[in-house]
Amino acid sequence: VSNAGVGMAGPLECQSLEAMQSLMDTNFFGLVRLVKEVLPDMKRRRGGHIVVISSIMGLQGIVFNDIYAASKFAVEGFCESLVVQALRFNVAISLVEPGPVVTEFETKLYEEAERADYSRTDPETAEIFTNLYLRNSRDVFASLGQTPEDIAEHTLRVIEAARPPFRHQTNVAYTPMAALKHADPSGALVTEAFYKLVFKYDAVLRLSLR
């Protein structure tokens, strides 16, 4: 089970390249190093199961989570490319895709975001992040957040499955979001939906979450 991960949220201009590289080294290359270690023996034994804790943000990018989403997209692409070869050797690969999970991971991330220096971006972007994104994120976590124990139960079900699924989403609230993206290959539908949700109907969003 690969579960290592770090987060990053905020305006792109305010994040250093070094911090981005460090995040990718943990979230993506950490997984790659693990798989390189365990896969050869699994292939020799013609049996095994690699379970990767991914994220719903590996399927859909979320505003101000550019680099974190990129790392999870990389995880998803890596596993999607590898799964067919692995099946030839009777090795299963499963991606567990949670939405918000209420842990110290998220608490620390948002505390750091509130203290960060946004002088390297324009005032409008800083205002959108601090007054729209951070405020709405707290409501999302309070309303839709899962416990670590819940994610562990989902992961256990994936491990014990007779035919392990390749993808398993833990929160049904995010299924429509993933479906919306696949419904329109041009990307216009989901882009417009998120734009309206963030910039036009954010008050309705907060009210519905509460």
Side-chain angles (χ1 to χ4, degrees):
V1 178
S2 175
N3 188 45
V6 292
M8 179 182 289
L12 184 67
E13 307 94 307
C14 301
Q15 297 163 345
S16 71
L17 188 61
E18 291 76 17
M20 297 177 194
Q21 291 171 329
S22 177
L23 181 144
M24 292 297 293
D25 190 51
T26 299
N27 292 9
F28 176 61
F29 288 107
L31 168 65
V32 173
R33 287 192 290 268
L34 176 65
V35 172
K36 277 175 62 69
E37 287 294 323
V38 302
L39 186 60
D41 187 57
M42 289 181 175
K43 289 165 75 173
R44 278 192 295 270
R45 290 187 285 112
R46 292 194 171 261
H49 189 186
I50 298 169
V51 180
V52 180
I53 307 301
S54 181
S55 169
I56 196 69
M57 276 195 259
L59 301 176
Q60 173 63 54
I62 302 294
V63 63
F64 290 119
N65 283 269
D66 322 281
I67 305 306
Y68 180 78
S71 73
K72 292 300 184 178
F73 267 72
V75 164
E76 295 270 334
F78 173 71
C79 292
E80 194 170 275
S81 299
L82 195 60
V83 66
V84 174
Q85 179 205 148
L87 282 174
R88 177 69 178 177
F89 295 88
N90 195 37
V91 175
I93 297 176
S94 295
L95 288 157
V96 177
E97 298 162 335
V101 184
V102 182
T103 66
E104 290 184 8
F105 175 98
E106 299 296 341
T107 303
K108 181 172 181 287
L109 179 65
Y110 290 115
E111 285 177 351
E112 289 176 352
E114 288 177 343
R115 294 194 304 266
D117 175 16
Y118 299 114
S119 60
R120 283 174 290 175
T121 191
D122 59 277
E124 185 177 358
T125 300
E127 172 78 10
I128 292 167
F129 178 66
T130 54
N131 289 335
L132 278 181
Y133 175 81
L134 288 179
R135 182 172 56 176
N136 287 341
S137 291
R138 291 187 182 281
D139 291 340
V140 167
F141 271 84
S143 177
L144 301 177
Q146 294 176 274
T147 65
E149 291 78 13
D150 193 18
I151 304 304
E153 289 292 339
H154 278 273
T155 305
L156 181 61
R157 289 201 292 273
V158 168
I159 291 170
E160 293 180 334
R163 294 179 62 122
F166 175 57
R167 285 191 170 95
H168 176 81
Q169 294 174 25
T170 69
N171 194 327
V172 295
Y174 286 84
T175 302
M177 183 177 76
L180 193 65
K181 181 174 181 177
H182 291 290
D184 176 17
S186 77
L189 191 62
V190 72
T191 300
E192 184 178 3
F194 272 98
Y195 182 87
K196 288 180 177 178
L197 197 62
V198 172
F199 294 113
K200 291 189 175 182
Y201 305 127
D202 65 296
V204 176
L205 171 65
R206 289 198 306 277
L207 184 64
S208 64
L209 288 170
R210 288 171 183 170

